[in-house]
């Protein structure tokens, strides 16, 4: 009997040593995984759905041509009204495109007053300078948006007392087709999520024959200044993706795997002890084994300025519901947070409460968890659990004391 007892103790001691070594190896693996998660190369990428971030532009302003002006009293440029309508889309917080249409009269002096009308279409490439330099912020009040474009212009109803380019020796031309390039800048003032006020200036560069006169400067220039409104369809919010967030999720799964490995090592040691006692004619008293349930997933992540639970995060809510059903004596605090990089403290407080409430509603209404087992704690941005700012858009599950 003493020999058997010694064998049991030796086997148990060996199992504990093996389990401790395995736990140390797992700890090293977790530490390596965390190094990858905090890699500085991780960046947040933004994207938008096909139906979001479209805008309609309506504006009016003034037009001034800079053509061949060689009168005795100097250059004479006359201002005329200009009108525009455009439609465009922002594909990211930084880049967008726009199809812009413009109509105006033109008046200039060259041995008398010259007149014409034109219709212009431009395809513009737009760059949000402030989002690129100062960080993405869909609620920024003022933005600068430089743009460049290519287009086509049809000018017609020319009235010229002097000579112009002849279609044939007996007939003067009265219209022209040209392909200008243009550049400009827009100042955008946010009125609300769906309406902006804008002021913009555009310079269009034409060949020397745009106004049917070809002498003097080799390039004809037309300047337009406009003001009006952008009507945004779907607002100006963007979906964010950061691979580091997925790596953090993988790390949490790795923690669960390590815990299960430790449980498996303990079970293997107990099995080795039992097998060492076979065959055993005597009645053995088996000690009760405490079952450790796998740890519940720690967080539900949210997009910036959002309290909607994404589909890939709903699995964490489901796992918490299953954990609570398997542990009927446990209650949980849903602690909501917001990142301090965006929004005021008051706004973030309300946003964190909406996030915690969204998890509460999903647990009670969708998965049948009783509400008296849950409580909500809105921390806002006054507490930041993580050093990485983007990680703090979360709800953390914590056991209730």
């Amino acid at each position: 009997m003493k020999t058997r007892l010694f064998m049991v103790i030796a086997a148990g001691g060996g199992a504990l040593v093996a389990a401790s070594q395995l736990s140390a190896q797992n700890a090293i693996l977790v530490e390596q995984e965390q190094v990858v998660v905090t890699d500085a190369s991780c960046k947040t990428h933004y994207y938008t759905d096909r139906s979001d971030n479209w805008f309609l532009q309506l504006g009016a302003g003034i037009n001034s041509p800079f053509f061949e002006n060689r009168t005795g009293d100097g250059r004479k440029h006359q201002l005329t009204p200009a009108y525009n309508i455009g439609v465009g889309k922002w594909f990211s917080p930084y880049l967008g495109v726009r199809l812009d249409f413009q109509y105006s009269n033109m008046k200039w002096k060259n041995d008398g007053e010259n007149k014409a009308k034109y219709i212009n279409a431009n395809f513009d490439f737009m760059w949000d300078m402030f989002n690129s330099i100062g960080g993405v912020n869909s609620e920024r009040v003022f933005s600068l948006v430089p743009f460049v474009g290519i287009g086509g212009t049809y000018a017609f109803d020319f009235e010229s007392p002097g000579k112009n380019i002849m279609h044939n020796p007996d007939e003067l031309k009265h219209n022209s087709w040209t392909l200008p390039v243009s550049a400009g800048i827009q100042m955008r003032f946010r009125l609300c999520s769906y309406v902006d006020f804008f002021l913009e200036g555009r310079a269009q560069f034409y060949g020397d024959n745009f106004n049917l006169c070809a002498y003097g400067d080799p390039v004809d220039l037309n300047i337009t200044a406009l003001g009006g409104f952008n009507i945004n369809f779907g607002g100006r919010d963007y979906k964010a993706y950061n691979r580091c967030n997925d790596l953090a999720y993988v790390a949490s799964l790795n923690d669960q795997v390590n815990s299960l490995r430790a449980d498996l090592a303990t079970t293997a040691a107990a099995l080795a002890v039992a097998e060492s006692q076979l065959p055993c004619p005597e009645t053995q008293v088996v000690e009760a084994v405490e079952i450790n349930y796998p740890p519940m997933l720690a967080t539900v992540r949210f997009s910036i300025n959002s309290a909607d639970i994404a589909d890939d995060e709903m699995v964490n809510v489901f796992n918490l519901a299953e954990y609570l059903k398997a542990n009927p004596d446990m209650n949980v605090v849903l602690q909501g947070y917001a990142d301090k990089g965006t929004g005021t403290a008051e706004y973030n407080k309300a946003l964190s409460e909406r996030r915690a409430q969204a998890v509460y509603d999903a647990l009670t209404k969708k998965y049948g968890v009783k509400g008296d087992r849950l409580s909500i704690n809105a921390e806002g941005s006054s507490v930041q659990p993580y050093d990485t700012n983007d990680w703090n858009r979360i709800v953390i599950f914590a056991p209730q004391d």
Side-chain angles (χ1 to χ4, degrees), residues 223-250:
I223 301 294
T224 306
L226 298 170
F229 298 93
N230 289 330
I231 302 172
N232 305 304
F233 299 98
R236 282 205 310 271
D237 289 330
Y238 300 88
K239 296 182 178 180
Y241 169 74
N242 190 322
R243 70 182 186 90
C244 290
N245 295 337
D246 290 337
L247 293 176
Y249 179 65
V250 171

Short mmCIF file of all heavy atoms in Angstrom, two decimals, residues 223-250:
data_model
loop_
_atom_site.label_atom_id
_atom_site.label_comp_id
_atom_site.label_asym_id
_atom_site.label_seq_id
_atom_site.Cartn_x
_atom_site.Cartn_y
_atom_site.Cartn_z
N ILE A 223 -12.32 81.87 -65.51
CA ILE A 223 -12.37 81.76 -64.06
C ILE A 223 -13.83 81.75 -63.61
O ILE A 223 -14.63 82.58 -64.05
CB ILE A 223 -11.62 82.92 -63.38
CG1 ILE A 223 -10.16 82.94 -63.82
CG2 ILE A 223 -11.72 82.81 -61.86
CD1 ILE A 223 -9.38 81.75 -63.37
N THR A 224 -14.16 80.82 -62.70
CA THR A 224 -15.52 80.73 -62.15
C THR A 224 -15.44 80.69 -60.64
O THR A 224 -14.62 79.95 -60.07
CB THR A 224 -16.24 79.47 -62.65
OG1 THR A 224 -16.21 79.45 -64.08
CG2 THR A 224 -17.68 79.45 -62.19
N ALA A 225 -16.28 81.46 -59.96
CA ALA A 225 -16.42 81.42 -58.51
C ALA A 225 -17.87 81.08 -58.19
O ALA A 225 -18.80 81.74 -58.69
CB ALA A 225 -16.02 82.75 -57.88
N LEU A 226 -18.09 80.04 -57.38
CA LEU A 226 -19.43 79.54 -57.10
C LEU A 226 -19.65 79.38 -55.60
O LEU A 226 -18.70 79.19 -54.83
CB LEU A 226 -19.65 78.17 -57.77
CG LEU A 226 -19.56 78.11 -59.29
CD1 LEU A 226 -19.55 76.66 -59.76
CD2 LEU A 226 -20.73 78.86 -59.92
N GLY A 227 -20.90 79.42 -55.21
CA GLY A 227 -21.32 79.09 -53.84
C GLY A 227 -22.62 78.34 -53.90
O GLY A 227 -23.41 78.50 -54.84
N GLY A 228 -22.86 77.48 -52.93
CA GLY A 228 -24.11 76.71 -52.94
C GLY A 228 -24.12 75.66 -51.87
O GLY A 228 -23.48 75.79 -50.82
N PHE A 229 -24.83 74.57 -52.13
CA PHE A 229 -25.06 73.55 -51.13
C PHE A 229 -24.76 72.15 -51.70
O PHE A 229 -25.05 71.89 -52.88
CB PHE A 229 -26.50 73.58 -50.62
CG PHE A 229 -26.86 74.88 -49.95
CD1 PHE A 229 -27.44 75.91 -50.66
CD2 PHE A 229 -26.59 75.07 -48.60
CE1 PHE A 229 -27.77 77.11 -50.05
CE2 PHE A 229 -26.91 76.26 -47.97
CZ PHE A 229 -27.50 77.29 -48.70
N ASN A 230 -24.17 71.32 -50.85
CA ASN A 230 -24.03 69.90 -51.13
C ASN A 230 -25.05 69.15 -50.30
O ASN A 230 -25.12 69.32 -49.07
CB ASN A 230 -22.63 69.39 -50.76
CG ASN A 230 -21.56 69.89 -51.70
OD1 ASN A 230 -21.83 70.12 -52.87
ND2 ASN A 230 -20.35 70.07 -51.20
N ILE A 231 -25.84 68.32 -50.95
CA ILE A 231 -26.81 67.47 -50.26
C ILE A 231 -26.23 66.06 -50.23
O ILE A 231 -26.06 65.43 -51.28
CB ILE A 231 -28.18 67.50 -50.96
CG1 ILE A 231 -28.69 68.95 -51.03
CG2 ILE A 231 -29.17 66.61 -50.23
CD1 ILE A 231 -29.95 69.11 -51.87
N ASN A 232 -25.92 65.57 -49.04
CA ASN A 232 -25.24 64.28 -48.87
C ASN A 232 -26.26 63.17 -48.65
O ASN A 232 -27.10 63.27 -47.75
CB ASN A 232 -24.27 64.33 -47.69
CG ASN A 232 -23.28 65.46 -47.81
OD1 ASN A 232 -22.57 65.55 -48.80
ND2 ASN A 232 -23.25 66.34 -46.82
N PHE A 233 -26.17 62.13 -49.45
CA PHE A 233 -27.05 60.98 -49.31
C PHE A 233 -26.32 59.90 -48.51
O PHE A 233 -25.26 59.44 -48.91
CB PHE A 233 -27.46 60.44 -50.68
CG PHE A 233 -28.21 61.45 -51.51
CD1 PHE A 233 -27.55 62.20 -52.47
CD2 PHE A 233 -29.55 61.67 -51.31
CE1 PHE A 233 -28.21 63.14 -53.24
CE2 PHE A 233 -30.24 62.62 -52.07
CZ PHE A 233 -29.57 63.35 -53.03
N GLY A 234 -26.91 59.51 -47.38
CA GLY A 234 -26.26 58.53 -46.52
C GLY A 234 -25.27 59.14 -45.55
O GLY A 234 -24.51 58.43 -44.90
N GLY A 235 -25.23 60.49 -45.44
CA GLY A 235 -24.30 61.12 -44.53
C GLY A 235 -22.87 61.03 -45.03
O GLY A 235 -22.61 60.80 -46.21
N ARG A 236 -21.89 61.19 -44.10
CA ARG A 236 -20.48 61.13 -44.46
C ARG A 236 -19.72 60.20 -43.52
O ARG A 236 -18.55 60.43 -43.21
CB ARG A 236 -19.85 62.52 -44.42
CG ARG A 236 -20.17 63.38 -45.63
CD ARG A 236 -19.10 64.44 -45.86
NE ARG A 236 -18.78 65.19 -44.66
CZ ARG A 236 -19.41 66.30 -44.29
NH1 ARG A 236 -20.41 66.74 -45.01
NH2 ARG A 236 -19.04 66.93 -43.21
N ASP A 237 -20.37 59.15 -43.02
CA ASP A 237 -19.69 58.18 -42.17
C ASP A 237 -19.09 57.07 -43.03
O ASP A 237 -19.60 56.74 -44.09
CB ASP A 237 -20.66 57.58 -41.15
CG ASP A 237 -21.05 58.60 -40.08
OD1 ASP A 237 -20.22 59.48 -39.80
OD2 ASP A 237 -22.17 58.51 -39.56
N TYR A 238 -18.01 56.48 -42.53
CA TYR A 238 -17.31 55.42 -43.24
C TYR A 238 -17.09 54.24 -42.30
O TYR A 238 -16.95 54.42 -41.08
CB TYR A 238 -15.95 55.92 -43.75
CG TYR A 238 -16.07 57.07 -44.70
CD1 TYR A 238 -16.10 58.38 -44.23
CD2 TYR A 238 -16.19 56.87 -46.07
CE1 TYR A 238 -16.23 59.45 -45.09
CE2 TYR A 238 -16.32 57.93 -46.94
CZ TYR A 238 -16.34 59.21 -46.45
OH TYR A 238 -16.48 60.27 -47.31
N LYS A 239 -17.08 53.06 -42.86
CA LYS A 239 -16.78 51.87 -42.09
C LYS A 239 -15.28 51.71 -41.96
O LYS A 239 -14.54 51.96 -42.91
CB LYS A 239 -17.40 50.63 -42.75
CG LYS A 239 -18.92 50.69 -42.79
CD LYS A 239 -19.51 49.44 -43.42
CE LYS A 239 -21.04 49.49 -43.41
NZ LYS A 239 -21.64 48.28 -44.02
N ALA A 240 -14.85 51.32 -40.77
CA ALA A 240 -13.42 51.22 -40.48
C ALA A 240 -13.02 49.76 -40.28
O ALA A 240 -13.80 48.95 -39.76
CB ALA A 240 -13.06 52.03 -39.23
N TYR A 241 -11.83 49.45 -40.76
CA TYR A 241 -11.28 48.10 -40.56
C TYR A 241 -9.81 48.23 -40.17
O TYR A 241 -9.05 48.96 -40.80
CB TYR A 241 -11.38 47.27 -41.83
CG TYR A 241 -10.59 45.98 -41.76
CD1 TYR A 241 -11.04 44.92 -40.98
CD2 TYR A 241 -9.39 45.84 -42.44
CE1 TYR A 241 -10.32 43.75 -40.90
CE2 TYR A 241 -8.66 44.67 -42.35
CZ TYR A 241 -9.13 43.63 -41.59
OH TYR A 241 -8.40 42.47 -41.49
N ASN A 242 -9.45 47.54 -39.10
CA ASN A 242 -8.06 47.50 -38.64
C ASN A 242 -7.71 46.05 -38.34
O ASN A 242 -8.34 45.43 -37.49
CB ASN A 242 -7.88 48.37 -37.39
CG ASN A 242 -6.42 48.55 -37.03
OD1 ASN A 242 -5.62 47.63 -37.15
ND2 ASN A 242 -6.06 49.74 -36.58
N ARG A 243 -6.72 45.53 -39.05
CA ARG A 243 -6.37 44.12 -38.87
C ARG A 243 -5.90 43.82 -37.45
O ARG A 243 -5.98 42.68 -36.99
CB ARG A 243 -5.29 43.71 -39.86
CG ARG A 243 -3.92 44.30 -39.61
CD ARG A 243 -2.92 43.90 -40.67
NE ARG A 243 -1.57 44.34 -40.38
CZ ARG A 243 -0.70 43.61 -39.70
NH1 ARG A 243 -1.05 42.41 -39.26
NH2 ARG A 243 0.52 44.06 -39.46
N CYS A 244 -5.43 44.84 -36.74
CA CYS A 244 -5.00 44.62 -35.36
C CYS A 244 -6.17 44.19 -34.48
O CYS A 244 -6.00 43.43 -33.53
CB CYS A 244 -4.37 45.89 -34.80
SG CYS A 244 -2.78 46.29 -35.54
N ASN A 245 -7.38 44.71 -34.80
CA ASN A 245 -8.55 44.29 -34.03
C ASN A 245 -8.80 42.80 -34.19
O ASN A 245 -9.17 42.11 -33.23
CB ASN A 245 -9.77 45.09 -34.47
CG ASN A 245 -9.63 46.56 -34.17
OD1 ASN A 245 -8.87 46.95 -33.29
ND2 ASN A 245 -10.35 47.40 -34.90
N ASP A 246 -8.62 42.29 -35.41
CA ASP A 246 -8.80 40.86 -35.61
C ASP A 246 -7.71 40.07 -34.92
O ASP A 246 -7.96 38.98 -34.39
CB ASP A 246 -8.80 40.54 -37.12
CG ASP A 246 -10.05 41.05 -37.80
OD1 ASP A 246 -11.06 41.24 -37.10
OD2 ASP A 246 -10.01 41.28 -39.02
N LEU A 247 -6.49 40.61 -34.91
CA LEU A 247 -5.41 39.92 -34.21
C LEU A 247 -5.68 39.87 -32.71
O LEU A 247 -5.36 38.88 -32.05
CB LEU A 247 -4.08 40.63 -34.49
CG LEU A 247 -3.57 40.56 -35.94
CD1 LEU A 247 -2.30 41.37 -36.09
CD2 LEU A 247 -3.32 39.12 -36.35
N ALA A 248 -6.27 40.93 -32.17
CA ALA A 248 -6.64 40.90 -30.75
C ALA A 248 -7.70 39.85 -30.48
O ALA A 248 -7.68 39.16 -29.45
CB ALA A 248 -7.14 42.29 -30.33
N TYR A 249 -8.63 39.71 -31.42
CA TYR A 249 -9.66 38.68 -31.27
C TYR A 249 -9.03 37.28 -31.32
O TYR A 249 -9.38 36.39 -30.55
CB TYR A 249 -10.69 38.84 -32.38
CG TYR A 249 -11.81 37.82 -32.35
CD1 TYR A 249 -12.71 37.80 -31.30
CD2 TYR A 249 -11.96 36.89 -33.38
CE1 TYR A 249 -13.73 36.87 -31.26
CE2 TYR A 249 -12.97 35.97 -33.35
CZ TYR A 249 -13.86 35.96 -32.29
OH TYR A 249 -14.86 35.03 -32.26
N VAL A 250 -8.07 37.10 -32.24
CA VAL A 250 -7.36 35.82 -32.32
C VAL A 250 -6.60 35.56 -31.02
O VAL A 250 -6.54 34.43 -30.53
CB VAL A 250 -6.40 35.81 -33.53
CG1 VAL A 250 -5.51 34.58 -33.50
CG2 VAL A 250 -7.20 35.84 -34.83
#
